[in-house]
Amino acid sequence: MTELLKTDLYRLIEARHGRFLANPKDIYLGRSMIKYGEFSELEWQVFDQMLRPGAVVVEVGANMGAFTVPIANKVGRGGMVYAFEPQLSVFQQLCANLALNDLVNVQAFNAGCGAEAGWLTLKRPDPARELNFGGLSLDALTGSGGVRVRVETLDEVLDLEALHMLKADVEGMEAQVIRGARGLIEKLRPILYLEAHDPEDSPELIRLVGELDYDMYWHLPAMFNPKNHSGDTENIFGVISSKNMLCVPSERNTTVHGARRVADENDHPRKWGQ
């Protein structure tokens, strides 16, 4: 990782997948980008295997674009990425990172996604304060005196002829995103990649995806990559991993090697590696 510029709030870095404005006060994503030159690279490696040039991807909870940028590069000018991020300061980072990497195949929305369309007033977290900006749900952000932000249903805002992957990382609100995208999912049958870290929320999500006739697999990538871009051997994340579900339309008859199939709605991994 090479630091190109330092401001009061941000660092401009040359990382594994391009140039990024990263916030050092963001205790997971920003710090990982600055220290390792990448974020959750073991997660990206799955997307790298699934996506092809020309693919269409929807990313809900795009944050500052750590995945948006490499996804857009992977699908190329013939593909398209629709990226949704409701937090204003983080959305500004996202747009900066798209511009820094000459990406014109991304449509970015300063909006959230849910089961119903509407408006929310969201608090404005201070980017100069240490915080896990990627760990804030719309529910946690809702409050008076903030910024009015649109909440969209994907079925209403997107008119697509193809959709190859839908990725959602929205801190326990993934089921609401899926409910608002049911028409697109039933019509276009994309691969779904959904965060499911909370055992209280995952049963509803598992039931919903099962109703849509998908085969579901747990994907639990460690946050720390020993072969990170910076060659930094210090592991600041310990055994922390992401808890995600990789969901494939059952009609594809696909077996996902190296991942454990979700057994039922009560099947939630308690620790990394389970």
Side-chain angles (χ1 to χ4, degrees):
M1 189 280 298
T2 302
E3 186 174 291
L4 304 174
L5 180 69
K6 179 178 180 180
T7 73
D8 288 344
L9 291 179
Y10 299 109
R11 306 291 184 272
L12 175 59
I13 61 172
E14 190 79 50
R16 182 189 291 273
H17 296 294
R19 291 184 174 183
F20 291 87
L21 273 185
N23 183 353
K25 297 296 185 180
D26 185 342
I27 62 176
Y28 287 108
L29 203 155
R31 286 184 180 173
S32 180
M33 291 294 290
I34 292 167
K35 184 172 179 63
Y36 301 123
E38 61 185 47
F39 174 72
S40 198
E41 180 66 14
L42 303 180
E43 195 168 339
W44 158 251
Q45 289 171 7
V46 170
F47 308 150
D48 192 31
Q49 294 177 50
M50 293 190 298
L51 295 173
R52 298 290 181 268
V56 178
V57 178
V58 171
E59 184 183 17
V60 183
N63 204 279
M64 49 82 81
F67 292 126
T68 320
V69 168
I71 287 173
N73 280 322
K74 180 75 176 187
V75 304
R77 293 285 180 97
M80 191 68 190
V81 182
Y82 299 91
F84 294 80
E85 175 51 51
Q87 294 186 68
L88 181 58
S89 65
V90 179
F91 176 74
Q92 291 169 338
Q93 272 184 272
L94 169 64
C95 292
N97 291 330
L98 297 177
L100 283 166
N101 289 281
D102 296 328
L103 293 170
V104 296
N105 61 337
V106 181
Q107 184 172 353
F109 298 79
N110 184 204
C113 294
E116 297 179 352
W119 291 89
L120 289 177
T121 301
L122 301 185
K123 303 171 189 174
R124 292 177 289 183
D126 183 356
R129 172 189 162 207
E130 286 198 351
L131 193 63
N132 176 15
F133 289 89
L136 299 173
S137 68
L138 287 181
D139 286 342
L141 286 166
T142 302
S144 60
V147 178
R148 291 273 286 170
V149 174
R150 183 71 177 165
V151 177
E152 306 282 8
T153 71
L154 292 175
D155 280 344
E156 291 181 3
V157 76
L158 296 179
D159 182 15
L160 302 179
E161 295 300 320
L163 178 58
H164 299 91
M165 186 174 78
L166 167 57
K167 177 183 180 296
D169 181 349
V170 288
E171 302 306 308
M173 300 182 71
E174 287 77 14
Q176 295 183 46
V177 172
I178 297 302
R179 291 186 191 283
R182 189 162 191 138
L184 281 172
I185 294 169
E186 290 177 339
K187 175 186 174 184
L188 302 175
R189 308 298 285 164
I191 290 171
L192 308 176
Y193 191 83
L194 310 170
E195 185 184 54
H197 68 78
D198 192 331
E200 294 184 3
D201 296 322
S202 59
E204 178 189 7
L205 183 61
I206 291 169
R207 285 195 301 271
L208 181 58
V209 176
E211 289 171 5
L212 290 165
D213 198 19
Y214 274 73
D215 296 328
M216 293 165 277
Y217 297 83
W218 285 113
H219 184 231
L220 312 172
M223 292 283 288
F224 176 67
N225 174 23
K227 298 179 180 179
N228 62 77
H229 182 65
S230 298
D232 192 323
T233 59
E234 182 187 13
N235 179 3
I236 62 173
F237 295 123
V239 297
I240 295 175
S241 67
S242 301
K243 292 181 180 178
N244 303 306
M245 290 198 311
L246 174 60
C247 312
V248 183
S250 61
E251 64 270 17
R252 297 192 186 187
N253 295 315
T254 300
T255 299
V256 177
H257 298 285
R260 180 170 67 80
R261 189 159 181 168
V262 178
D264 54 47
E265 65 186 55
N266 297 311
D267 176 15
H268 189 91
R270 301 291 168 175
K271 295 185 296 185
W272 179 79
Q274 286 190 335

